[in-house]
Amino acid sequence: MTTKGKKPDKREYTLKFIPHQGETVRSYSFSMRTLKIWAAALAAGAVLLLGGFGYMSYSVGGAGSIAAPRETPDEKGRQAELAQLAEEARNLQTEMEKLTEREQTLRRLLDENAEDESAKHTGQGGPSVPAEVSQVRRALDAVSRGLPARRESLAQLEAQLQRQRTEATARAAEADKLARTDVPSNVPSGWPTSGDISSPFGWRWNGTDFHPGIDIANDTGTPIVATADGVVTAAGWNAGGYGNMVDIDHGNGILTRYGHASEVIVHEGQHVKRGEMIAYMGSTGFSTGPHVHYEIHLHGEIVNPASYL
């Protein structure tokens, strides 16, 4: 049985362009075969164009996203450990700074290895590099090992300072005992502390200010002692400019006052003896440096302490 082939499609289509104003009409004739070829070519071009656009989008957007590094669980753990170590480092640094500040204060009080803070150099620099956990741990271990030695050093300095204060008090008491054998115990006699007179009693600064006592200057922490037996009538902060202050009533209308102390170690109502330590020298209240302001009141009148020294 013979199968007959399809007859070729011989249809034709005419496309006419009819211009305005009576110009010539143009006609274009196309066979069905030609139209099919043009349609296939247009379809192939559209496929190629869409494919190229899709490839470019993938290259610019998709490929870039895939190439971006992602943080692995190990990296997250490392960052968390570094953050914890950084917090430990800050805490250790804070403690070390406090210990260093305390040590410097004690050494100044003991007059050992005194340093001029203004002469210190403060230059810093160096490249910034990523921190490694092992490096931070080694640094923290080094600081931790140094803390016990620093604490021990501070304990020794504090003990030395206390011995110095005790010895100074004992020497002052012994000197007072020898110098005041003929003076009644309730009459002020001798110096309330050791040091230099930095401002005398009376008018000062070209007559612009009257000073109601004498100022004896020395280092912060120098012991201050009572100059006669009596009862403490004031011990603590005074808002009138004396800072930390002690008043002692010796009876018979006699009162002594000791101002600008760094620390008061007696309390109101306490009975004290001549030469007994009552405070430590400081620079509280209206003061330009460590000293004790010493006043003597006699029946309510302020008198010059110089005659009682």
Side-chain angles (χ1 to χ4, degrees):
M1 182 175 179
T2 303
T3 303
K4 294 182 179 181
K6 292 183 179 180
K7 293 181 179 181
D9 190 348
K10 295 182 178 180
R11 289 177 296 174
E12 290 188 355
Y13 297 88
T14 300
L15 180 64
K16 291 186 177 185
F17 293 91
I18 303 174
H20 296 284
Q21 300 176 354
E23 294 182 7
T24 303
V25 175
R26 296 181 182 275
S27 299
Y28 299 93
S29 297
F30 302 95
S31 66
M32 179 58 69
R33 178 181 176 83
T34 302
L35 289 175
K36 288 181 178 181
I37 292 172
W38 278 103
L42 289 174
V47 170
L48 290 174
L49 180 63
L50 290 174
F53 180 76
Y55 177 77
M56 290 179 62
S57 298
Y58 169 78
S59 299
V60 174
S65 299
I66 293 174
R70 293 184 178 180
E71 193 174 43
T72 64
D74 291 342
E75 181 65 19
K76 289 182 179 179
R78 176 178 173 275
Q79 293 298 331
E81 189 172 4
L82 278 174
Q84 181 180 357
L85 291 174
E87 180 65 23
E88 294 178 15
R90 283 192 294 270
N91 294 336
L92 283 175
Q93 183 65 25
T94 299
E95 183 177 0
M96 183 65 78
E97 289 174 355
K98 290 180 179 179
L99 291 175
T100 300
E101 182 180 358
R102 177 61 178 162
E103 183 178 15
Q104 290 174 349
T105 300
L106 290 173
R107 290 192 183 281
R108 283 196 297 269
L109 294 177
L110 291 167
D111 290 330
E112 292 181 1
N113 301 326
E115 295 182 358
D116 182 3
E117 295 294 330
S118 63
K120 287 187 175 181
H121 300 291
T122 58
Q124 297 181 358
S128 176
V129 296
E132 293 294 335
V133 173
S134 58
Q135 294 174 338
V136 177
R137 282 196 177 279
R138 286 196 296 269
L140 288 178
D141 290 342
V143 175
S144 298
R145 288 194 299 270
L147 284 175
R150 179 59 59 85
R151 294 191 186 102
E152 178 64 23
S153 175
L154 288 179
Q156 293 176 359
L157 288 173
E158 288 174 341
Q160 184 178 352
L161 179 62
Q162 186 59 42
R163 287 195 302 271
Q164 188 182 77
R165 287 174 170 176
T166 301
E167 291 171 0
T169 302
R171 288 195 300 269
E174 184 64 22
D176 286 340
K177 183 178 180 181
L178 294 175
R180 303 171 185 176
T181 53
D182 296 332
V183 179
S185 62
N186 65 334
V187 175
S189 178
W191 289 57
T193 189
S194 60
D196 302 315
I197 295 180
S198 56
S199 183
F201 176 87
W203 292 101
R204 58 183 179 179
W205 301 326
N206 296 321
T208 60
D209 176 66
F210 184 82
H211 190 221
I214 61 171
D215 291 342
I216 304 172
N218 208 328
D219 295 330
T220 298
T222 301
I224 301 171
V225 300
T227 55
D229 298 355
V231 178
V232 177
T233 57
W237 183 259
N238 172 270
Y242 289 94
N244 290 324
M245 182 191 77
V246 176
D247 280 355
I248 302 176
D249 185 356
H250 305 285
N252 298 321
I254 303 174
L255 179 141
T256 55
R257 173 168 294 173
Y258 314 78
H260 309 300
S262 62
E263 181 182 359
V264 172
I265 60 173
V266 293
H267 57 82
E268 188 174 339
Q270 180 177 341
H271 290 262
V272 294
K273 296 289 186 180
R274 175 188 288 161
E276 183 176 346
M277 190 161 59
I278 59 174
Y280 293 114
M281 187 181 294
S283 184
T284 56
F286 298 159
S287 171
T288 61
H291 72 285
V292 60
H293 173 87
Y294 178 51
E295 288 183 18
I296 297 180
H297 297 229
L298 183 60
H299 300 297
E301 298 290 333
I302 299 174
V303 297
N304 191 344
S307 59
Y308 291 85
L309 296 180

